[in-house]
Amino acid sequence: MEKRILLGVDELTLVLSLVDKAILEDLDEWQEKAESMISEFAERANLETVFGSQKELEDKCPQGYTTGYQYGDHPFYFAVAYHPLHPDMGVIIKFSAYSWSVYCRGNSTNIRSFLKAVESDTYNLRLSRIDFAVDYQNWDIVVDDIYQNLIAHNLEIRDFKGRKNCSTITAHEVNGVADTFYVGSKKTGTRLFLRVYDKKIEQLQNQGFRMEEALNTSSWVRFEAVFKGKYAHQLTDLILQTEDEKIGSLIADKVSEKFRFYDLRSESLFDFSRALLERANIDTEHLRLESPRDNGLIGLLLHLVNGSGLFSALYKCDEVWGAKTAVVLLEHLYKLYTEQYEPNDDVKGWVKKHKNSMKGQSFEDDLKMIKVFRTSYSKGAADDFTDRGIYNQ
């Protein structure tokens, strides 16, 4: 069978936000705005024609959101949602891989045409997640072979500058054979990770919506690059700036930019990486993270403020024993810290890893950021933002 490389979008999440948040006078007005944004988006996206009439979401809302809608009744997941108490979270539109495929077929569109169609002067839009899929059909690629060579250090993943990817590599193994492996973490807040798996086995075992296609291939391995946070934000602009016929080249370019597989024995690109690089016949800006900030410490400090019970303890002391008793408690805690606290190996390891990079951050700015979050959002809102990885973007 003829070798093929198919390039596409697997799943995506889009967020709509108010153009001018300052005009909101109360939360009731936000709900009206959110419903209006949803109505306009649905009309621009042609949702009711493709999927069916709007109804309340029967499945779970995306994490952190509480008011959700679906369109029609389908076996796939598609949701439009917002939180009536938190305008800053905007309106989220979440396509699963299945729903995105059905939508593209039903609306004869691609990712760029879709984004262009739903643009509006009444709301801002940007991707918060997009998965680029590279399918190698009828290639002599075995997922377990790649994984075993990676952990044996015969194979190395590098970026476009030749820098080694040092991300953790994990695998799903059955009887000692990996049918899926991951490069990087899937945790909330992660901007980038790669999933490599046997797409043919997945479709046949799960009787997926592309099972017939799987039956007509001798092999099918997928490299799925997941871009989130700031990377997804930048890809929103890059996709809109790219001509429809070059979207495939953009996908090949961005996956090749971050993940190139090198054979260390011959010091050369593997054939599948070389072939993908040849498909990336486009000149675009590289994805970047400007002024990176390590926010692990900020998250800890926010926990002290919002979730640890420290403030409630200070309040109780003042109420029971009089004003300023909280100061005595804080002084006592500081004395315990200086005289008795011994950091464990995890704490020492964190300091060793982050100290140099964090010296360039302003501690005063971090304190100001904590104050802003404390005064601007309720505890629930701060927790929502932490869960969704806003601090890590």
Side-chain angles (χ1 to χ4, degrees), residues 305-344:
V305 172
N306 288 323
S308 68
L310 175 62
F311 279 16
S312 62
L314 297 176
Y315 173 79
K316 290 173 183 177
C317 287
D318 279 346
E319 289 296 306
V320 174
W321 291 291
K324 302 296 183 180
T325 309
V327 176
V328 178
L329 173 59
L330 289 172
E331 289 174 346
H332 184 70
L333 291 175
Y334 182 74
K335 187 176 181 181
L336 287 175
Y337 160 69
T338 56
E339 294 179 356
Q340 298 185 25
Y341 174 70
E342 283 293 331
N344 60 28

Side-chain angles (χ1 to χ4, degrees), residues 13 31 77 79 121 183 203 242 251 253 295 321 324 331 367:
T13 302
Q31 293 183 53
Y77 184 84
D121 293 332
V183 180
Q203 287 294 299
T242 302
I251 292 171
D253 179 65
N295 290 321
W321 291 291
K324 302 296 183 180
E331 289 174 346
L367 294 180

Side-chain angles (χ1 to χ4, degrees), residues 183-232:
V183 180
S185 171
K186 297 184 290 178
K187 293 181 180 180
T188 299
T190 302
R191 300 182 189 92
L192 177 71
F193 68 89
L194 179 71
R195 178 188 180 204
V196 180
Y197 63 102
D198 193 311
K199 185 71 175 177
K200 179 170 183 173
I201 291 177
E202 181 230 32
Q203 287 294 299
L204 296 181
Q205 287 182 345
N206 299 330
Q207 297 184 24
F209 68 94
R210 299 179 71 178
M211 185 172 69
E212 184 176 350
E213 185 178 353
L215 288 169
N216 291 316
T217 62
S218 60
S219 65
W220 183 358
V221 172
R222 167 168 288 190
F223 289 67
E224 198 169 277
V226 179
F227 299 87
K228 298 194 289 184
K230 287 189 176 180
Y231 283 151

Side-chain angles (χ1 to χ4, degrees), residues 14 16 41 44-45 103 113-120 123 125:
L14 186 70
L16 312 180
F41 172 84
R44 289 179 176 275
Y103 177 80
S113 298
F114 165 70
L115 292 178
K116 293 293 288 185
V118 299
E119 279 188 306
S120 171
Y123 56 72
L125 68 83

Side-chain angles (χ1 to χ4, degrees), residues 100-131:
W100 176 245
S101 177
V102 171
Y103 177 80
C104 287
R105 289 201 306 269
N107 215 33
S108 300
T109 192
N110 62 20
I111 183 61
R112 179 185 181 274
S113 298
F114 165 70
L115 292 178
K116 293 293 288 185
V118 299
E119 279 188 306
S120 171
D121 293 332
T122 61
Y123 56 72
N124 297 317
L125 68 83
R126 68 182 184 185
L127 294 161
S128 64
R129 170 176 176 160
I130 186 165
D131 298 9

Side-chain angles (χ1 to χ4, degrees), residues 137-388:
Q137 293 184 343
N138 308 320
W139 283 67
D140 186 19
I141 298 176
V142 179
V143 173
D144 186 62
D145 286 349
I146 301 174
Y147 173 68
Q148 297 299 338
N149 276 292
L150 281 170
I151 62 176
H153 304 294
N154 297 322
L155 182 60
E156 186 173 277
I157 302 173
R158 302 175 185 173
D159 67 6
F160 73 103
K161 288 186 175 180
R163 296 173 299 197
K164 179 183 177 181
N165 186 313
C166 297
S167 300
T168 301
I169 299 174
T170 56
H172 173 262
E173 297 182 68
V174 178
N175 298 323
V177 177
D179 58 13
T180 303
F181 69 84
Y182 298 89
V183 180
S185 171
K186 297 184 290 178
K187 293 181 180 180
T188 299
T190 302
R191 300 182 189 92
L192 177 71
F193 68 89
L194 179 71
R195 178 188 180 204
V196 180
Y197 63 102
D198 193 311
K199 185 71 175 177
K200 179 170 183 173
I201 291 177
E202 181 230 32
Q203 287 294 299
L204 296 181
Q205 287 182 345
N206 299 330
Q207 297 184 24
F209 68 94
R210 299 179 71 178
M211 185 172 69
E212 184 176 350
E213 185 178 353
L215 288 169
N216 291 316
T217 62
S218 60
S219 65
W220 183 358
V221 172
R222 167 168 288 190
F223 289 67
E224 198 169 277
V226 179
F227 299 87
K228 298 194 289 184
K230 287 189 176 180
Y231 283 151
H233 303 166
Q234 293 169 53
L235 283 170
T236 308
D237 295 330
L238 289 175
I239 290 168
L240 287 169
Q241 295 164 10
T242 302
E243 298 172 2
D244 280 353
E245 60 271 18
K246 293 185 178 179
I247 290 297
S249 296
L250 177 66
I251 292 171
D253 179 65
K254 292 306 148 199
V255 177
S256 295
E257 179 180 317
K258 297 298 183 183
F259 302 103
R260 299 183 184 185
F261 288 74
Y262 278 84
D263 187 337
L264 296 181
R265 293 160 296 190
S266 62
E267 192 57 34
S268 62
L269 273 173
F270 261 62
D271 57 350
F272 57 81
S273 279
R274 187 182 305 108
L276 183 63
L277 194 57
E278 291 172 356
R279 292 286 296 272
N281 185 26
I282 193 171
D283 183 22
T284 64
E285 296 178 11
H286 295 299
L287 300 177
R288 64 200 182 281
L289 293 175
E290 296 175 351
S291 302
R293 171 180 289 272
D294 191 310
N295 290 321
L297 181 59
I298 297 177
L300 178 60
L301 296 177
L302 282 166
H303 173 68
L304 286 176
V305 172
N306 288 323
S308 68
L310 175 62
F311 279 16
S312 62
L314 297 176
Y315 173 79
K316 290 173 183 177
C317 287
D318 279 346
E319 289 296 306
V320 174
W321 291 291
K324 302 296 183 180
T325 309
V327 176
V328 178
L329 173 59
L330 289 172
E331 289 174 346
H332 184 70
L333 291 175
Y334 182 74
K335 187 176 181 181
L336 287 175
Y337 160 69
T338 56
E339 294 179 356
Q340 298 185 25
Y341 174 70
E342 283 293 331
N344 60 28
D345 290 341
D346 287 342
V347 174
K348 291 178 180 177
W350 186 93
V351 172
K352 182 178 180 180
K353 181 178 180 181
H354 297 277
K355 184 175 181 179
N356 289 334
S357 63
M358 290 188 67
K359 281 182 177 179
Q361 296 181 196
S362 167
F363 184 60
E364 289 73 17
D365 287 346
D366 288 349
L367 294 180
K368 290 177 183 177
M369 184 182 297
I370 294 167
K371 183 178 180 180
V372 168
F373 274 100
R374 178 65 185 174
T375 56
S376 298
Y377 306 106
S378 67
K379 175 185 178 297
D383 286 344
D384 284 339
F385 274 87
T386 303
D387 290 342
R388 290 168 57 229

